[in-house]
Amino acid sequence: MTTLASTISEGFRARRSIRALTNETKISDARIEELVSDVTLHTPSPFNVQSGRLVVLLKEEHQRLWDIAYEAASASVPQGVFEKMYKPRIAAFRAGYGTVLFYEDPVPFKALEEKWPMLTQKFPEWSQHSSGMHQFALWTLLEAEGLGCSLQHYNPLIDSPVSEQWGIPQEWRLQAQLVFGKPAGPPMEKTFEPLEQRVFIHGK
């Protein structure tokens, strides 16, 4: 019997990194917006502070993002490294349909810092935990809809020009970029370390 838990678990197992993408999509832009909105509304955050900010770039806007990444990397990365690694990877990301930028807004934490000063040092860490959940949830949902995705981290290399291009507040902290599109190749190979070295259960 199929249960909700088994369906969700199947989504987790199917989620993989796919970097070979085309600029097509199997779902509508409206459906993409719906999934992003659901994840934004229902992903946990510390003290329900709701600090996650998701910026969705589609089509030409998505391409502009990776043009910016190309320009930033070519100007700051050693030429040999750029030609061998950054240039082909950025071209592959640009070939996709869209990118979701995951930000964390530190402003909502100000009230918490006043109320819970003894926890102030932990808030940045917990903020990243929440962003990670946003990333994993949306990645899984987009894969379940037939899209290929890969999670990238071109921050802080692109932070300033991206903020300027799309009017993003400077205080928002860019955490990751989820690239997606129609798969044009198989997922990356995935191997697993032994579970007995990673999962420990007491009392069963």
Side-chain angles (χ1 to χ4, degrees):
M1 181 178 68
T2 301
T3 65
L4 177 59
S6 63
T7 300
I8 294 173
S9 181
E10 178 60 33
F12 291 168
R13 290 193 294 270
R15 184 214 52 78
R16 301 283 297 279
S17 291
I18 300 178
R19 291 180 178 169
L21 304 170
T22 70
N23 61 353
E24 301 170 283
T25 177
K26 294 186 175 183
I27 58 177
S28 67
D29 292 348
R31 178 58 175 159
I32 293 171
E33 182 178 359
E34 181 182 13
L35 294 175
V36 171
S37 298
D38 282 346
V39 166
T40 303
L41 284 174
H42 301 295
T43 299
S45 61
F47 295 91
N48 195 34
V49 74
Q50 302 179 46
S51 53
R53 306 288 183 262
L54 277 63
V55 177
V56 183
L57 305 175
L58 304 175
K59 305 164 190 164
E60 291 83 5
E61 298 294 308
H62 155 84
Q63 293 174 356
R64 178 57 187 148
L65 170 70
W66 294 107
D67 288 342
I68 290 173
Y70 184 99
E71 294 163 6
S74 64
S76 59
V77 175
Q79 190 63 24
V81 176
F82 174 77
E83 291 291 334
K84 183 177 180 180
M85 296 181 59
Y86 282 81
K87 185 175 180 179
R89 290 186 179 184
I90 290 174
F93 303 147
R94 190 183 188 279
Y97 183 79
T99 302
V100 180
L101 306 177
F102 294 88
Y103 284 90
E104 280 290 307
D105 182 358
V107 173
F109 284 95
K110 297 301 182 182
L112 291 181
E113 292 173 0
E114 296 176 2
K115 186 175 181 179
W116 304 99
M118 73 291 290
L119 300 176
T120 298
Q121 291 184 339
K122 300 299 292 183
F123 289 147
E125 178 183 347
W126 294 343
S127 173
Q128 291 183 358
H129 293 172
S130 180
S131 182
M133 288 188 278
H134 280 82
Q135 296 160 35
F136 181 75
L138 185 57
W139 189 349
T140 302
L141 290 176
L142 290 175
E143 292 259 3
E145 293 280 3
L147 294 173
C149 307
S150 72
L151 192 67
Q152 304 303 319
H153 299 88
Y154 277 71
N155 45 296
L157 187 66
I158 62 174
D159 289 14
S160 181
V162 166
S163 293
E164 182 177 351
Q165 176 69 29
W166 286 284
I168 296 168
Q170 290 288 337
E171 66 268 18
W172 289 11
R173 298 169 183 154
L174 183 58
Q175 305 294 317
Q177 306 87 50
L178 184 65
V179 185
F180 63 91
K182 184 178 178 181
M188 296 178 62
E189 182 180 356
K190 187 175 184 179
T191 59
F192 299 93
E193 295 297 321
L195 277 177
E196 58 267 24
Q197 297 178 11
R198 304 170 64 195
V199 177
F200 307 91
I201 299 176
H202 302 275
K204 67 177 181 179

